[in-house]
Amino acid sequence: MILNTRYTKKEFEKLLTEKLFNEFAIDIASATDEQIYRALALIARGMLSEKRKRFIARTYGANGKQVYYLCMEFLMGRSLKTSLLNLGLCGVADEVLRDYSMKLDNIYEQEPDAGLGNGGLGRLAACYLDGMATDDIPGTGYSILYEYGIFKQKIVDGWQQERADNWLPGGGVWLKSHPDQAVEVRFDGEIEESWDGVYHHVEHKNYSSVIAVPSDMYVAGYDSNGVSQLRLWQAKAPGFDMDSFNAGEYGSAITKSANAELISKVLYPNDNHIEGKILRLRQQYFLSAASIGDIAKNHLSQYGTLENLPDKVAIHVNDTHPTLAIPELMRILLDECGYTWEKAFDITRRTFAYTNHTVMSEALEKWNEDIFKKTLPRIYQICVELDHRCRADLERTFPGDEGKINYMAVLGDGQVRMANICCYVCHSINGVSQLHSEIIKQSVFHDYFLYSPEKFTNVTNGIAYRRWLLAANPGLTGLLEDTIGPGFKKDASELKKLEKFKADKKVLSALEDVKDANKVIFAQHLKKVTGQEIDPHTLFDVQVKRMHEYKRQHLNALNIAAQYLYIKNNPNADVVPKTYIFGAKAAPGYYMAKQMIRLICKLGALIDADPMVREKLRVVYLEDYNVTTSERLMPASEVSEQISLAGTEASGTGNMKFMLNGAVTLGTLDGANVEIAEAAGRENEIIFGMLTPEVNDLKRFGYHPSGFINNCPEAAEVLAFLERGWGGESFHEIVNNLRTSDPYMVMADFADYRRAQNDLSGLYRDRGVWNRMSLMNIANAGIFSADRAVNDYARDIWHVKPIK
Ligand SMILES: *Cc1c(COP(=O)(O)O)cnc(C)c1O
């Protein structure tokens, strides 16, 4: 039976009245929007906490297996709307507020985004909490309670500035702290080993403790009994060091406590790039040790032994960031439970699974052995032993192949290699799209694929589609209900029923009306919050994602500049008027990405100041792209720019949000774009650029951008134009980079991208054709739901069954 969904208006009004009175001693009529937000959040939290308790009790009752999903990032965004939606409370809450002349939509605006992540990876983890809850899979996410999430972005004269994201004052209502369940995490110090004739003892001396205090939030499933938990660890100093203080070492006593608490202070703002700092290593071990300590404690209290851990628990390592959970579990099994290495290793292997998220070498995590040893002395010893055993095992499969063995080992070149720990120990290794899962077998993990091919598998990413459809796009949701019935709300595969209407003129024109209305709503919102005016009758062509050379926003900018020059030279040409919308944060230390932002902003300003061009071409840069912006933008988007160099984007999930909302993908055959084009039909996307094997061949033979530039007059003209610049601004750094190294082969794909943009205009002009393409995308987006992805993980990797 599904609980919590049947409240009458009267009952819900009573609930809200009581909550407001208890929290703020105020009644509904006098409460501010913020107080209503807090009260509603507390009501939802309370219900979810109860429901979770029952769900977990049922899980233990059924001897069920649970999933623990470890990730340094959970990009949750807002929670109120999706919580009310999933609990079936949106309607009744709206009715109650209307009586007081309040709008639920205004209440939602009170909530800050929980930005505990950088981009796709963190958002994926958040989507999987939603998917697990909906699929009735008992799941817990573990991460860090960053005091400051991803920075807030300001753009000042084209240049990105970062502001601290102090989200807890508004976001903290979703969290409940449990200091009684704190876990001690030990850093630094030395290890003393002794043998008493029977047992081997390991003692960690002179360590410094950090206390991990958990705070929990809950994620509701849709029309299900499941509720996921997200447990976030906050670093606290273990009580003030009174001894140092009394000895007159005031400074050192205070520094000790500040250092401990620094661990959960701020999220590292790098996407697809490592930051080899000690603080980051401490964060990683802090998350790993606190989570494993918690899992072991729970399991022991239930079963009294860790022997059956792999039967009752699946632990997922999302990218290599939480890899240290693996040697940490080994440590507990060896040092605290007294198992042999063989036994401990067997339990650990059967418990852990690993997902790889990138093949780019700058994102492959390796830690300096000296720093590692000093910071985590016991974990280092375990890694040394893992390395010995790993080398011995590899020697049996690849006798005498020193090169291969050195490359695959846990330690090498003075570094601890996180991906090799995962590949050696975990029972499952997966990529995040079909293409990416093939690439890891053929490139980065090729030798491990030869060693243990049975471990390798694929789970294509998925999104919490109700957030981007039911919650974000009521217009389209209504149209779908009218045409295919309500089944798609629980089962995304039912979207396929829409395909029947691909030649239905009425449905196609209703679809166009929905998109047009959403464009108007977005344009109004933009005007209200930024003052920028855009014309909703122009095509909305959108590229939103992190700013990165491999994602090639500069390729998009080059096309815009080429189009600008074309319009200047052909003022009477009949062009499809387009509005290009960008949104992206750059890592604060990523100079080239910041230059790319400047280029796009300055192009926008140049065009804005040119009355002859601005009717036909506009560029807007949205400040501070985040989950909430994405929810506003997707319903209004018509073209989804997914233009990474083939072989670099592991999957992408933004591409799926666009598809679901009826945008046509203008993209390369990279990541999940391949599967998107396959699902919707290639004729319903606009595909351009080199294929992955062509990219690899070009690299092998030696890539020289000059050849491509010299063969394409338009490319040469655009580069010269940007190099010259305007209004005292020049873009010579980007141009130089593209002329000389062009690491992501922008120039090699430029001409075909121009061709594709041109084809796109032709297709867009034919409204019948375009609307059909849009419909085919919506109808085939179902396989990209997180419900499906979680189901794949549960069946193929975690071996977990839903608790019904
Ligand atoms: C979905 C999402 C992403 C991922 O976008 P990609 O295009 O797949 O890189 C990044 N940031 C936010 C805020 C998102 O919602």
Side-chain angles (χ1 to χ4, degrees):
M1 195 187 61
I2 313 298
L3 297 145
N4 290 345
T5 52
R6 281 180 281 277
Y7 279 90
T8 63
K9 186 175 160 192
K10 248 201 153 60
E11 286 166 340
F12 196 79
E13 182 168 359
K14 182 159 171 275
L15 221 53
L16 181 59
T17 304
E18 283 171 5
K19 189 59 82 181
L20 282 167
F21 183 78
N22 290 337
E23 295 294 320
F24 309 111
I26 207 165
D27 56 20
I28 301 183
S30 334
T32 63
D33 283 359
E34 201 214 326
Q35 287 167 327
I36 302 274
Y37 154 66
R38 287 177 179 275
L40 288 176
L42 289 168
I43 289 170
R45 222 205 83 83
M47 287 177 179
L48 289 171
S49 152
E50 273 307 304
K51 205 172 164 178
R52 168 78 182 185
K53 220 179 274 167
R54 287 198 292 270
F55 183 52
I56 292 305
R58 227 168 318 141
T59 302
Y60 281 124
N63 258 308
K65 190 171 179 180
Q66 299 190 53
V67 178
Y68 294 102
Y69 198 87
L70 270 59
C71 187
M72 288 287 280
E73 307 186 7
F74 281 81
L75 191 53
M76 302 297 285
R78 289 175 173 170
S79 289
L80 183 58
K81 195 186 209 172
T82 51
S83 296
L84 293 182
L85 177 85
N86 284 3
L87 286 169
L89 294 171
C90 271
V92 76
D94 191 44
E95 283 177 37
V96 169
L97 292 181
R98 268 167 203 272
D99 284 356
Y100 296 87
S101 310
M102 281 187 273
K103 282 197 6 222
L104 195 49
D105 280 338
N106 295 340
I107 305 301
Y108 296 143
E109 294 304 312
Q110 300 302 310
E111 183 173 0
D113 268 43
L116 308 184
N118 275 285
L121 173 117
R123 184 54 231 174
L124 186 78
C127 285
Y128 285 174
L129 293 179
D130 184 299
M132 284 192 274
T134 301
D135 288 347
D136 292 310
I137 302 288
T140 300
Y142 278 113
S143 196
I144 293 177
L145 181 58
Y146 302 106
E147 191 177 334
Y148 300 99
I150 184 68
F151 62 86
K152 290 203 167 299
Q153 181 192 49
K154 288 271 165 208
I155 309 266
V156 179
D157 194 25
W159 199 248
Q160 170 177 296
Q161 294 185 354
E162 300 89 24
R163 306 276 159 86
D165 168 46
N166 190 16
W167 70 285
L168 277 168
V173 269
W174 294 100
L175 296 169
K176 188 155 183 205
S177 166
H178 294 281
D180 55 307
Q181 295 172 42
V183 178
E184 186 194 17
V185 180
R186 297 176 173 184
F187 293 94
D188 310 319
E190 305 92 41
I191 304 301
E192 259 183 36
E193 292 177 83
S194 56
W195 175 252
D196 67 5
V198 185
Y199 290 111
H200 178 229
H201 295 275
V202 175
E203 204 183 340
H204 194 168
K205 294 213 154 144
N206 298 319
Y207 57 83
S208 47
S209 287
V210 177
I211 308 300
V213 179
S215 287
D216 296 337
M217 64 182 283
Y218 299 102
V219 177
Y222 183 81
D223 191 19
S224 74
N225 290 313
V227 175
S228 297
Q229 182 179 48
L230 175 59
R231 175 155 272 205
L232 300 171
W233 299 104
Q234 183 179 30
K236 287 278 181 199
F240 199 62
D241 185 353
M242 226 40 212
D243 290 344
S244 300
F245 191 76
N246 291 339
E249 296 157 9
Y250 310 117
S252 112
I254 289 166
T255 315
K256 256 192 197 162
S257 113
N259 275 343
E261 293 178 9
L262 207 56
I263 290 177
S264 58
K265 191 59 81 181
V266 58
L267 168 80
Y268 275 96
N270 299 328
D271 189 68
N272 277 299
H273 200 281
I274 48 172
E275 175 97 33
K277 299 269 163 65
I278 298 179
L279 181 58
R280 172 74 177 181
L281 179 64
R282 286 178 178 266
Q283 285 188 337
Q284 294 188 349
Y285 182 64
F286 176 73
L287 165 63
S288 302
S291 308
I292 295 298
D294 201 43
I295 293 167
K297 193 162 57 183
N298 286 341
H299 189 84
L300 282 170
S301 77
Q302 190 68 24
Y303 297 102
T305 170
L306 295 180
E307 184 117 13
N308 66 341
L309 188 73
D311 304 327
K312 302 295 168 201
V313 163
I315 305 179
H316 207 88
V317 174
N318 197 34
D319 214 330
T320 55
H321 317 144
T323 297
L324 296 176
I326 293 168
E328 177 63 13
L329 180 61
M330 288 294 291
R331 187 190 70 75
I332 290 175
L333 294 168
L334 293 167
D335 299 355
E336 294 179 17
C337 303
Y339 288 114
T340 62
W341 179 277
E342 288 74 14
K343 181 86 200 165
F345 187 79
D346 178 63
I347 292 172
T348 303
R349 198 198 76 246
R350 290 189 291 128
T351 304
F352 277 100
Y354 158 62
T355 297
N356 173 272
H357 283 269
T358 176
V359 294
M360 285 185 298
S361 55
E362 65 266 33
L364 270 190
E365 290 198 295
K366 295 171 174 143
W367 291 103
N368 175 292
E369 249 182 276
D370 296 330
I371 290 172
F372 193 100
K373 183 178 180 180
K374 188 171 177 308
T375 311
L376 307 167
R378 180 58 185 148
I379 296 301
Y380 176 73
Q381 289 182 333
I382 290 168
C383 288
V384 170
E385 185 62 24
L386 266 178
D387 182 63
H388 288 323
R389 305 250 177 177
C390 172
R391 285 171 183 272
D393 286 347
L394 293 172
E395 181 63 38
R396 278 187 282 279
T397 309
F398 308 113
D401 195 342
E402 277 310 301
K404 214 190 232 19
I405 293 169
N406 278 331
Y407 180 77
M408 296 171 75
V410 167
L411 305 179
D413 303 324
Q415 294 179 311
V416 186
R417 297 135 161 197
M418 310 297 261
N420 286 358
I421 295 178
C422 292
C423 287
Y424 176 57
V425 182
C426 292
H427 65 81
S428 171
I429 302 162
N430 75 286
V432 288
S433 69
Q434 285 169 11
L435 176 68
H436 168 64
S437 293
E438 286 308 310
I439 289 174
I440 62 177
K441 289 193 281 186
Q442 283 152 26
S443 64
V444 266
F445 297 154
H446 182 65
D447 293 333
Y448 266 106
F449 175 59
L450 297 177
Y451 178 63
S452 47
E454 72 287 349
K455 286 188 184 182
F456 284 77
T457 183
N458 170 249
V459 179
T460 299
N461 282 170
I463 57 169
Y465 74 100
R466 281 166 291 270
R467 178 180 283 264
W468 276 275
L469 181 57
L470 315 208
N473 195 343
L476 180 55
T477 303
L479 176 60
L480 289 169
E481 283 178 310
D482 294 346
T483 44
I484 62 172
F488 70 95
K489 296 180 176 184
K490 171 80 178 178
D491 176 2
S493 71
E494 286 206 12
L495 288 167
K496 189 84 180 168
K497 289 181 177 173
L498 188 64
E499 228 180 85
K500 277 215 304 278
F501 299 91
K502 69 179 176 196
D504 184 317
K505 289 220 166 69
K506 258 173 62 190
V507 170
L508 289 174
S509 105
L511 195 60
E512 182 173 342
D513 292 345
V514 165
K515 184 63 77 180
D516 286 347
N518 288 335
K519 288 166 72 181
V520 170
I521 292 169
F522 184 79
Q524 284 168 345
H525 172 80
L526 187 71
K527 170 128 196 274
K528 196 174 114 194
V529 299
T530 72
Q532 295 178 91
E533 285 188 56
I534 54 174
D535 180 357
H537 299 106
T538 60
L539 182 160
F540 283 7
D541 180 314
V542 184
Q543 187 171 20
V544 284
K545 46 179 75 257
R546 285 298 288 253
M547 185 62 64
H548 209 298
E549 287 166 277
Y550 88 80
K551 293 178 183 278
R552 301 201 296 190
Q553 283 95 344
H554 45 351
L555 175 58
N556 192 341
L558 250 47
N559 171 66
I560 294 170
Q563 189 65 8
Y564 169 80
L565 296 176
Y566 175 80
I567 294 171
K568 291 298 270 184
N569 291 326
N570 305 273
N572 298 318
D574 183 21
V575 303
V576 171
K578 296 183 184 176
T579 300
Y580 287 90
I581 301 172
F582 289 87
K585 293 176 185 176
Y590 189 170
Y591 181 73
M592 194 55 76
K594 286 186 158 177
Q595 288 291 346
M596 287 161 67
I597 295 177
R598 188 173 67 89
L599 169 60
I600 294 161
C601 292
K602 293 292 167 180
L603 260 178
L606 175 73
I607 293 165
D608 253 1
D610 193 331
M612 184 179 120
V613 183
R614 58 175 285 158
E615 304 289 294
K616 297 174 178 169
L617 179 64
R618 292 291 298 285
V619 179
V620 290
Y621 200 100
L622 307 174
E623 239 173 25
D624 200 45
Y625 177 61
N626 61 17
V627 175
T628 297
T629 314
S630 149
E631 289 163 15
R632 274 194 237 287
L633 189 53
M634 294 299 158
S637 299
E638 293 174 294
V639 173
S640 162
E641 297 266 359
Q642 307 299 336
I643 61 178
S644 52
L645 174 66
T648 61
E649 186 75 271
S651 161
T653 49
N655 45 7
M656 301 166 185
K657 302 166 196 167
F658 280 104
M659 179 195 197
L660 178 68
N661 281 279
V664 171
T665 300
L666 167 54
T668 50
L669 285 177
D670 197 16
N673 299 352
V674 177
E675 289 154 77
I676 286 176
E678 195 175 275
R682 184 149 170 174
E683 67 282 10
N684 295 307
E685 318 293 356
I686 300 153
I687 302 300
F688 76 97
M690 292 180 288
L691 305 178
T692 306
E694 294 172 325
V695 170
N696 291 338
D697 285 348
L698 192 52
K699 270 187 196 152
R700 209 172 13 254
F701 297 131
Y703 170 60
H704 299 291
S706 55
F708 291 91
I709 298 166
N710 298 335
N711 276 329
C712 177
E714 199 169 37
E717 193 191 345
V718 169
L719 290 182
F721 169 63
L722 297 181
E723 197 160 41
R724 261 195 326 275
W726 57 87
E729 306 263 357
S730 159
F731 305 95
H732 61 269
E733 280 139 318
I734 291 176
V735 173
N736 254 344
N737 184 276
L738 293 178
R739 282 196 205 283
T740 54
S741 60
D742 190 13
Y744 298 99
M745 300 181 172
V746 169
M747 300 322 299
D749 277 341
F750 174 79
D752 201 33
Y753 183 55
R754 273 301 272 165
R755 188 272 310 156
Q757 280 276 359
N758 200 49
D759 289 358
L760 186 157
S761 301
L763 292 163
Y764 190 76
R765 276 208 167 94
D766 188 334
R767 300 315 293 153
V769 168
W770 187 267
N771 293 333
R772 193 184 65 225
M773 291 170 77
S774 174
L775 179 143
M776 289 299 285
N777 273 281
I778 300 165
N780 291 289
I783 53 169
F784 301 107
S785 88
D787 306 346
R788 186 276 311 154
V790 162
N791 194 55
D792 288 358
Y793 277 103
R795 189 191 58 229
D796 300 338
I797 295 177
W798 302 330
H799 308 295
V800 185
K801 292 212 163 56
I803 303 295
K804 289 297 181 193

